[in-house]
Amino acid sequence: MPSTIARFRSSSGALLAARVDRPDEPPRAWALLAHCFTCSKDLRSAGWLARALASRGVGCVRFDFTGLGESEGEFSGTDFSSNVEDLLAAAAFMRAELGPARLLVGHSLGGAAVLAAAARVPEAELVVTIAAPSGTEHFREKLVRMAPDLEARGEAEVTLGGRRFRIRRQLLEDLAEHSLEEAIASLGKALIVCHSPADRTVEIAQGERIFALARHPKSFLCLEGADHLLLADERDARLVAETAGLWLARHLPPG
């Protein structure tokens, strides 16, 4: 299945890098995939997800948020709001160049960003979250525990996934301004919440809260034994992709 690199501008003007994974035949739908915090489009499980979607006839665009991977910009100057804007820029790029993003997939904090952005992507019919927090306050609390002097000093370094990242107080301030409860309750799209009881980074209670807040149609996919990044077993990523692909096959109009 062919995979190519594409680039588009964010609302701030940064050039963002994306990978476009296409089925062998013309895609019957397109999916937009948002990666986890400090990860990239080239995370191994993101590739598994994209290729599994493509094998079901769904084209997939996975992109690097500003300052990460191959995208331009300074990561320390980004926040949750800028992630949402990057997501919307990716959806606009797809709308203009490839096809509407019928499926939105978000992993971890990328899942929270997808929930926040979904209402502004009217063509999206299905939202899938993977190991996502139910609100930004959950992630804010984790950052404060990791860097207790961040609020006082204005910036600090944190270690995530074995790499060090510089973050600024504006990230905490921006996270404090967001609430996902209303966005989840008024989603107006089908939702599949994917979470693992073994997740020690974002506990399954967060996924359960997303599910409880959301209205039908909604489903909960328990990824028994999966790790937070879905890296331990490729079958976990394939299960998510195949579940989403089956939903699309059932609900999209013929042709």
Side-chain angles (χ1 to χ4, degrees):
M1 290 170 286
S3 179
T4 57
I5 292 293
R7 300 187 188 275
F8 58 91
R9 293 281 177 187
S10 70
S11 60
S12 67
L15 196 60
L16 304 185
R19 184 170 289 278
V20 182
D21 296 274
R22 300 172 184 268
D24 290 329
E25 301 294 329
R28 57 190 176 87
W30 281 95
L32 173 57
L33 172 60
H35 63 69
C36 51
F37 186 68
T38 71
C39 298
S40 82
K41 67 181 183 313
D42 297 315
L43 182 71
R44 193 169 33 160
S45 55
W48 291 338
L49 276 163
R51 286 188 289 274
L53 284 169
S55 72
R56 299 200 67 88
V58 180
C60 184
V61 172
R62 42 188 166 119
F63 72 99
D64 292 326
F65 284 107
T66 298
L68 292 171
E70 297 178 284
S71 288
E72 293 179 348
E74 184 181 0
F75 173 74
S76 62
T78 64
D79 51 31
F80 186 73
S81 293
S82 70
N83 284 353
V84 171
E85 292 301 320
D86 285 354
L87 230 166
L88 294 172
F93 159 74
M94 293 176 67
R95 200 178 296 128
E97 301 295 335
L98 299 169
R102 293 279 184 80
L103 167 61
L104 302 178
V105 184
H107 193 169
S108 194
L109 193 65
V114 160
L115 290 170
R120 296 163 66 185
V121 187
E123 62 268 36
E125 299 173 46
L126 174 64
V127 173
V128 177
T129 64
I130 305 166
S134 61
T136 53
E137 69 281 354
H138 175 271
F139 184 61
R140 186 183 187 281
E141 291 167 3
K142 283 187 174 290
L143 287 178
V144 170
R145 288 197 297 271
M146 294 173 66
D149 57 343
L150 174 57
E151 290 184 277
R153 293 182 53 194
E155 63 179 29
E157 285 192 350
V158 296
T159 300
L160 295 161
R163 295 181 297 160
R164 295 191 66 78
F165 294 90
R166 182 166 294 277
I167 59 175
R168 296 176 182 166
R169 183 170 48 215
Q170 74 177 54
L171 175 58
L172 296 184
E173 294 171 347
D174 185 68
L175 289 168
E177 292 177 0
H178 287 270
S179 174
L180 293 181
E181 288 190 11
E182 183 178 348
I184 296 170
S186 60
L187 193 62
K189 305 173 191 294
L191 173 68
I192 302 175
V193 179
C194 309
H195 221 112
S196 167
D199 194 331
R200 296 294 175 263
T201 303
V202 178
E203 300 79 6
I204 195 171
Q206 293 291 312
E208 292 170 339
R209 184 165 181 263
I210 294 174
F211 187 78
L213 287 168
R215 297 172 182 170
H216 285 292
K218 60 181 179 179
S219 302
F220 194 104
L221 177 61
C222 182
L223 301 173
E224 185 177 1
D227 61 301
H228 179 67
L229 295 180
L230 301 192
L231 290 174
D233 192 330
E234 182 178 352
R235 290 175 296 179
D236 297 318
R238 289 213 318 261
L239 177 59
V240 173
E242 289 170 7
T243 302
L246 285 169
W247 189 97
L248 289 169
R250 171 64 181 80
H251 291 85
L252 288 180

